[in-house]
Amino acid sequence: MLTVSMNVNGQSVSGEIEERTLLVQFLREHLKLTGTHVGCDTSQCGACVIHVDGVSIKSCTMLAIQAEGSEVVTIEGLAGNGQLHPMQQAFKDNHGLQCGFCTPGMVMSGVDIVNRNGSEVDEATVRKELEGNICRCTGYHNIVKAIQAGAKDMGGQ
Amino acid sequence: MYNFSYEKVSSVDKAVEIIRSAEDGKFLAGGQTMLPTMKHRLADPSNLIDLGGIKELKEISSDENSVTIGAMVTHAAVAASIEINEAIPALSKLAGNIGDPAVRNRGTIGGSIANNDPAADYPAAVIALGATVITNKREFVGDDFFTGMFETALDDDEIIVSVKFPKTEVAAYMKFENPASRYAIAGVFLAKTADGVRIGVTGATACAHRGMRLEDALNQDFSPNSVDKIDLPVEKMNSDIHASAEYRAHLVKVMTKRAVQACT
Ligand SMILES: Cc1cc2nc3c(=O)[nH]c(=O)nc-3n(C[C@H](O)[C@H](O)[C@H](O)COP(=O)(O)OP(=O)(O)OC[C@H]3O[C@@H](n4cnc5c(N)ncnc54)[C@H](O)[C@@H]3O)c2cc1C
Ligand code: FES
Ligand code: FES
C-alpha cells in the first residue's frame, strides 16, 4: 500500500491506495468524483480525459501514484459559483451531447484544445485534436460546433 | 492488473540497481503501452521502476550537427520544441501525429523505441536518419537497435538515456494511419543525407527496417515514378484485420512516393 497526495479541483487530498490503483479509480472510487468515465480498456476512447498539471491526459492510463504532488482538474472542477464553465454551456447550447457518456472527456479535451490553440481555433484543428475522444452517439458534428463556440466564449480566460 | 511494487527513482544508477535485484522488474516511462498491457494481464511485472524522476532524461540539446533528445521527453514536447523543429522538421511532425493529444502528453521517445511496436512511428525515423540510441551501457546506430517484433538489442537492465539525431533538413515522414489508434498501417520516413537517400519503413512488417530497394531506385532517380517498378516482397508483409499483405506492400510504395514529393 502507498499513501498518495495531490490537489484535486483546488483541494488537497490524500489516500491509501494499492500500487496498481489507476488515477481514474482513485478519482471515482476513493474521492467519489464519478464525472470522469471509463469507456474502454485500450486507452482509446477518451471518456477519462482530465487535466494534470495543466495538460490533458487519459486518467485510465496513469497510475494514481504518478500524480503524486500534481494539480488535477476533473469535470467537477470546471463550473464555479453555480455557473457552468463556458465550454459546458456551449455543449448544452449546441446539442453537443446525447447519452452524455463521452461528454466529460470531450469537455476536458475541448478546454485543452482551446488552451493550446486559442479562441479562434478552426474546425479542422478541432477535428484532428479530438482523435483520442470517441463518441458513439452524436456523429461529432455538434461536438465540434460546441468546442468552437466554447472557444469563443472562453475568450481571454 | 496484478499488483506490483512501485518505486520512483531520481537517477539511472538507482533504476539499474533496483531492476537487478527485482524478480521481474520493468521500467515505467509514459505508461501508454506498459499500463494497457498490464491491464490486459499480458504483462505482470513484480516491480515498476518509474523513470519520471530522472531529470537528465528529460533534456533536449543540440550542437552544430545533431540534436539529442532525452529518453523521457514526451511526444508533445518533441512536437513543440523549436530546437527540434529547426533541426529536423520532419521529426517534429512525426511526433505531433503520434496517437492523440493526451497520449502525446505522456508517451515518450524512449518508451516508444524500447517497446518497438511494429506499427510505431519513431523506429522509422531512427532508422532513416541513422540516429544513435545511447544507453547507460553503449550506443547503437540506426537499425542495429531494432532486432524483431517488440524486440530490441537492449539488455533487461539497460536504460535508454537519449537518442541523437543528425540534423537533416530534407526529410519527410508519411504514414497511412489506423483511424482508431493512429498507429501506422504503413509508414515511410525518407531522409536525404550526405550519403544519399535513406528510408525507414514501419507498420508493414514484423519490425521496422531499411527500405533498401526503395533507396537504390531513388538514388538512381529521385522521382516518384522510379518507385513504380519495384516489387516489394508481399510474403514479408503483415496481414491483419486492418490491411492485407498485398495492400500493405502497395501502401509502402504510395507512402514512399508521397515522401519523395514532399522532398522535391
Ligand atoms: C491510444 C494510443 C494511440 C497510440 N498511437 C501511437 C501512434 O500513432 N504511433 C506510435 O508510434 N505510438 C502510438 N502509441 C504508443 C505511444 O507512443 C507510447 O507512448 C509508446 O509506445 C510507449 O512509450 P511510453 O513512454 O508510454 O512507455 P511505457 O509504456 O512506459 O514503456 C514501454 C516499454 O518501454 C520500456 N521503457 C520505457 N522507457 C525506457 C527506457 N528509457 N529505457 C529502456 N526501456 C524503457 C518499458 O519498460 C516498457 O517495456 C499509442 C498509444 C496509445 C495508448
Ligand atoms: S477509459 Fe481512458 S481512454 Fe477509454
Ligand atoms: S453522447 Fe453518447 S457517447 Fe457521446
Side-chain angles (χ1 to χ4, degrees), chain B residues 83-128:
Chain B
E83 209 169 339
I84 296 171
N85 191 34
E86 278 173 359
I88 315 166
L91 192 63
S92 318
K93 208 170 141 224
L94 175 150
N97 283 316
I98 294 176
D100 57 63
V103 167
R104 293 196 287 274
N105 281 330
R106 299 287 307 160
T108 66
I109 185 168
S112 176
I113 62 173
N115 193 53
N116 193 19
D117 189 299
D121 296 308
Y122 270 125
V126 170
I127 290 169

Side-chain angles (χ1 to χ4, degrees), chain A residues 19-20 41 56 58 60 128, chain B residues 1 39-40 97 100 105:
Chain A
E19 288 76 357
R20 63 178 164 178
D41 61 3
S56 62
K58 290 179 167 173
C60 72
K128 177 152 176 36
Chain B
M1 191 187 292
K39 279 199 240 176
H40 294 148
N97 283 316
D100 57 63
N105 281 330

Side-chain angles (χ1 to χ4, degrees), chain A residues 19-33:
Chain A
E19 288 76 357
R20 63 178 164 178
T21 307
L22 298 169
L23 183 52
V24 69
Q25 284 175 302
F26 181 66
L27 295 170
R28 289 180 55 89
E29 294 166 22
H30 292 246
L31 305 181
K32 309 292 179 203
L33 293 173

Side-chain angles (χ1 to χ4, degrees), chain B residues 1-259:
Chain B
M1 191 187 292
Y2 295 108
N3 211 13
F4 48 84
S5 303
Y6 170 91
E7 226 162 327
K8 185 169 177 174
V9 294
S10 52
S11 77
V12 169
D13 289 346
K14 184 71 189 169
V16 171
E17 187 191 311
I18 299 175
I19 207 156
R20 284 193 182 144
S21 60
E23 191 189 318
D24 177 25
K26 279 275 182 196
F27 301 122
L28 179 66
Q32 301 302 292
T33 297
M34 196 67 219
L35 296 176
T37 310
M38 289 169 66
K39 279 199 240 176
H40 294 148
R41 297 189 168 177
L42 296 171
D44 174 21
S46 60
N47 296 65
L48 274 191
I49 302 140
D50 188 346
L51 306 178
I54 312 179
K55 273 216 189 77
E56 60 175 287
L57 300 189
K58 293 184 183 168
E59 285 165 9
I60 299 171
S61 65
S62 57
D63 60 28
E64 226 176 294
N65 304 317
S66 66
V67 52
T68 302
I69 306 174
M72 287 296 287
V73 176
T74 62
H75 310 326
V78 170
S81 160
I82 293 168
E83 209 169 339
I84 296 171
N85 191 34
E86 278 173 359
I88 315 166
L91 192 63
S92 318
K93 208 170 141 224
L94 175 150
N97 283 316
I98 294 176
D100 57 63
V103 167
R104 293 196 287 274
N105 281 330
R106 299 287 307 160
T108 66
I109 185 168
S112 176
I113 62 173
N115 193 53
N116 193 19
D117 189 299
D121 296 308
Y122 270 125
V126 170
I127 290 169
L129 293 166
T132 306
V133 180
I134 301 166
T135 77
N136 57 325
K137 294 185 181 177
R138 50 198 165 150
E139 300 188 350
F140 301 92
V141 178
D143 48 355
D144 287 349
F145 182 78
F146 305 101
T147 53
M149 190 168 174
F150 293 107
E151 296 285 336
T152 67
L154 287 175
D155 293 337
D156 287 343
D157 62 348
E158 191 166 8
I159 296 183
I160 301 170
V161 175
S162 61
V163 188
K164 184 173 172 182
F165 292 91
K167 287 192 177 176
T168 313
E169 262 170 54
V170 186
Y173 179 60
M174 293 291 158
K175 82 165 151 174
F176 192 86
E177 56 188 29
N178 176 319
S181 70
R182 311 292 160 187
Y183 271 110
I185 290 176
V188 171
F189 198 109
L190 185 158
K192 270 180 119 174
T193 70
D195 309 326
V197 175
R198 280 180 66 114
I199 286 185
V201 180
T202 189
T205 59
C207 177
H209 60 274
R210 261 181 90 171
M212 293 294 200
R213 291 176 216 210
L214 298 164
E215 287 181 11
D216 288 345
L218 290 170
N219 277 325
Q220 279 168 31
D221 170 20
F222 194 75
S223 77
N225 291 342
S226 68
V227 174
D228 282 330
K229 55 180 185 284
I230 301 169
D231 277 326
L232 293 174
V234 172
E235 68 284 359
K236 288 199 181 151
M237 299 286 160
N238 296 334
S239 182
D240 55 28
I241 53 165
H242 306 299
S244 66
E246 290 79 7
Y247 186 38
R248 276 198 167 83
H250 176 69
L251 283 176
V252 170
K253 286 166 70 167
V254 175
M255 293 305 113
T256 307
K257 286 181 173 187
R258 288 186 190 168

Side-chain angles (χ1 to χ4, degrees), chain A residues 9-85:
Chain A
N9 301 330
Q11 284 189 319
S12 298
V13 297
S14 59
E16 290 291 310
I17 53 163
E18 275 191 302
E19 288 76 357
R20 63 178 164 178
T21 307
L22 298 169
L23 183 52
V24 69
Q25 284 175 302
F26 181 66
L27 295 170
R28 289 180 55 89
E29 294 166 22
H30 292 246
L31 305 181
K32 309 292 179 203
L33 293 173
T34 53
T36 303
H37 292 168
V38 176
C40 74
D41 61 3
T42 52
S43 308
Q44 285 179 330
C45 78
C48 64
V49 169
I50 60 167
H51 299 174
V52 173
D53 295 328
V55 299
S56 62
I57 61 100
K58 290 179 167 173
S59 60
C60 72
T61 314
M62 182 166 174
L63 299 172
I65 191 67
Q66 289 180 290
E68 170 71 30
S70 292
E71 299 277 331
V72 174
V73 180
T74 69
I75 188 75
E76 289 91 345
L78 287 189
N81 303 325
Q83 270 214 316
L84 291 179
H85 181 280

